[in-house]
Amino acid sequence: MPPRPREKQPLPSLPTGPLEECDDVTTDKIPQTAYEPDDRKVEIVWRNVVVMGILHLVALYGLYLVFTSAMLITTLYGVILYNLGGFGITGGAHRLWAHRAYKAKWPLKLLLVLCQTLAHQNSVIEWARDHRVHHKFQETDADPHNAKRGFFFAHMGWLLCKKHQEVKDKGKGVDMSDLYAEPLLRLQHKYFYVLMPIGCFVLPSIIPVVFWGETLMNAYCLNILRYVSCLHGTWLVNSAAHMWGSKPYDKYISSVENVFVSFFAVGEGWHNYHHTFPWDYKAAEFGKVNWTLRIINLFAKIGWAYELKSVSKEMIKTRVHRTGDGSHEIWGWGDKD
Ligand code: ST9
Ligand code: ZN
Ligand code: ZN
């Protein structure tokens, strides 16, 4: 007799609801899906593999040019663009729009959208949708970059294949109405494939040629290097900061505190804190290696950023004692922020 096909277990119902539920309640008790690894059929999107492959080759050549023929000012310009794009992701797509951790006046929103377009990690709306789904269903198949599927998948593999059906099914329940209500975000989303090529590739490559006489080849390749580096800086938060580091706030989740990631991710490596208290605009308990925090604070001084949400010391302390791994003393020692 042929073996009976394995019966699928019914999926447990996952919590759905408003963004406010993305707090310790959901991160603590997220149920696992009944999918077996066998059900995770990987449907590779070859277009993305080819595009990413070419981008990486050009970036490597750009790195070679940095040490051979590029002008120093072009390299410095690349570092500045890396940080500007990074701030568009951290201060804009992440803390402002995905988490609503603070409010911003329109000039800051405009600046953030421009910087986020420079970083090209999809439109703010698409970025924030994937990220809200990541928080809500972390480490399940509904998490777009589920770290349980290994370093490469969490880092960049998830962008090279079709999303798991669970991401789409469960993702539908995540409220995005607040972002669609913002005309600036709707505009960026609608015209993304016009704005992004100009903002991320054309203008950044032309500026060094026009303003300080760099060759187009050097300017173009160094800009691709800047773009690809910024992608990896961001992707490290999904991979390394879900694998290697301490868990002072919640030892039951995979995200960790990782200073190395924080350095490259403009302050977003304090990921155990962030998943425990996702509404905190600091995305960390302290101000160490948190460039994004410094910049938001500067904007708060001139009134462009306001209603900054945070977490009381008392709440952090209670949580550290309840679910921390005991490493809090090491990280918090001597910090006066
Ligand atoms: C990039 C993004 O790199 C990186 C994000 C990283 C996030 C990190 C977060 C960490 C914290 C913050 C740290 C910041 C640090 C910054 C440091 C800076 C130095 N919910 O997607 P499709 C449905 S992008 C609900 O095509 P496929 C929906 O109906 C890099 N529904 O799925 C959708 O239709 P529509 C450049 C969802 O076909 C439909 O499915 N960009 C959801 O499986 C189809 O959606 C690329 O490489 C959801 N979450 O294709 C492009 N998702 O949209 C990569 C989908 O019309 N993307 N649905 O509503 C792709 O090519 C494709 O998405 C795919 C999947 C091939 C990956
Ligand atoms: Zn995460
Ligand atoms: Zn987040």
Side-chain angles (χ1 to χ4, degrees):
M1 257 181 57
R4 275 174 48 148
R6 186 162 48 90
E7 276 175 25
K8 260 205 176 117
Q9 298 297 310
L11 292 173
S13 58
L14 294 175
T16 54
L19 186 62
E20 284 72 39
E21 284 187 17
C22 282
D23 57 11
D24 55 335
V25 179
T26 36
T27 52
D28 259 4
K29 302 202 175 72
I30 202 86
Q32 298 302 303
T33 60
Y35 276 91
E36 296 293 326
D38 289 357
D39 298 323
R40 292 173 182 158
K41 287 194 186 67
V42 176
E43 200 183 321
I44 297 176
V45 176
W46 288 103
R47 184 204 56 205
N48 289 10
V49 174
V50 171
V51 171
M52 276 298 166
I54 293 172
L55 283 170
H56 280 74
L57 287 177
V58 177
L60 275 179
Y61 186 57
L63 189 60
Y64 166 76
L65 293 176
V66 166
F67 295 105
T68 51
S69 64
M71 294 162 83
L72 181 61
I73 186 175
T74 313
T75 303
L76 293 177
Y77 164 80
V79 173
I80 292 169
L81 289 197
Y82 177 106
N83 283 283
L84 280 178
F87 182 63
I89 298 296
T90 58
H94 190 218
R95 300 188 198 185
L96 176 63
W97 283 302
H99 290 296
R100 296 280 175 201
Y102 68 99
K103 289 188 176 158
K105 297 237 169 94
W106 75 264
L108 178 55
K109 284 187 178 179
L110 181 63
L111 181 72
L112 286 166
V113 162
L114 292 175
C115 290
Q116 198 271 349
T117 310
L118 168 71
H120 173 28
Q121 296 184 8
N122 304 326
S123 68
V124 169
I125 287 181
E126 193 175 335
W127 196 103
R129 180 175 67 177
D130 278 340
H131 192 65
R132 286 181 181 182
V133 175
H134 164 62
H135 272 269
K136 200 158 187 59
F137 304 110
Q138 59 182 292
E139 296 160 58
T140 72
D141 280 316
D143 177 350
H145 30 81
N146 179 8
K148 287 223 162 106
R149 295 179 69 173
F151 181 93
F152 184 75
F153 180 84
H155 192 72
M156 65 185 290
W158 67 283
L159 291 163
L160 305 177
C161 59
K162 290 274 183 191
K163 287 172 179 160
H164 197 290
Q165 194 53 41
E166 282 279 273
V167 175
K168 297 170 187 180
D169 293 346
K170 295 289 188 310
K172 272 188 209 140
V174 172
D175 186 9
M176 294 294 294
S177 56
D178 58 320
L179 300 191
Y180 279 104
E182 294 205 26
L184 183 64
L185 298 189
R186 286 205 307 273
L187 189 86
Q188 190 222 26
H189 191 63
K190 186 168 177 193
Y191 296 107
F192 191 69
Y193 286 95
V194 176
L195 298 172
M196 172 275 288
I198 298 172
C200 180
F201 299 108
V202 178
L203 275 182
S205 304
I206 284 178
I207 287 172
V209 179
V210 173
F211 287 94
W212 55 90
E214 182 58 277
T215 66
L216 185 59
M217 180 63 125
N218 283 351
Y220 177 76
C221 294
L222 262 70
N223 182 52
I224 298 291
L225 173 63
R226 174 285 300 178
Y227 171 58
V228 170
S229 312
C230 196
L231 286 182
H232 282 286
T234 310
W235 295 343
L236 279 172
V237 180
N238 293 335
S239 54
H242 270 270
M243 288 172 192
W244 304 310
S246 58
K247 301 180 179 180
Y249 308 98
D250 192 337
K251 63 183 172 195
Y252 300 107
I253 54 178
S254 74
S255 52
V256 294
E257 304 285 276
N258 186 312
V259 64
F260 170 81
V261 174
S262 227
F263 180 78
F264 288 103
V266 203
E268 296 274 10
W270 311 112
H271 212 47
N272 189 251
Y273 181 90
H274 175 60
H275 270 275
T276 312
F277 304 111
W279 63 88
D280 190 332
Y281 87 102
K282 303 195 299 315
E285 183 179 357
F286 307 111
K288 286 189 282 247
V289 197
N290 197 339
W291 189 84
T292 297
L293 171 64
R294 309 286 169 185
I295 301 298
I296 298 176
N297 283 346
L298 279 182
F299 281 116
K301 282 211 167 74
I302 60 169
W304 286 14
Y306 59 104
E307 289 188 29
L308 314 171
K309 289 189 205 157
S310 201
V311 181
S312 70
K313 288 277 171 211
E314 209 43 52
M315 188 189 262
I316 296 173
K317 203 170 146 194
T318 308
R319 188 59 191 259
V320 162
H321 284 296
R322 188 159 68 85
T323 57
D325 67 357
S327 63
H328 186 262
E329 289 308 307
I330 302 163
W331 284 105
W333 189 81
D335 201 300
K336 297 282 179 282
D337 278 336

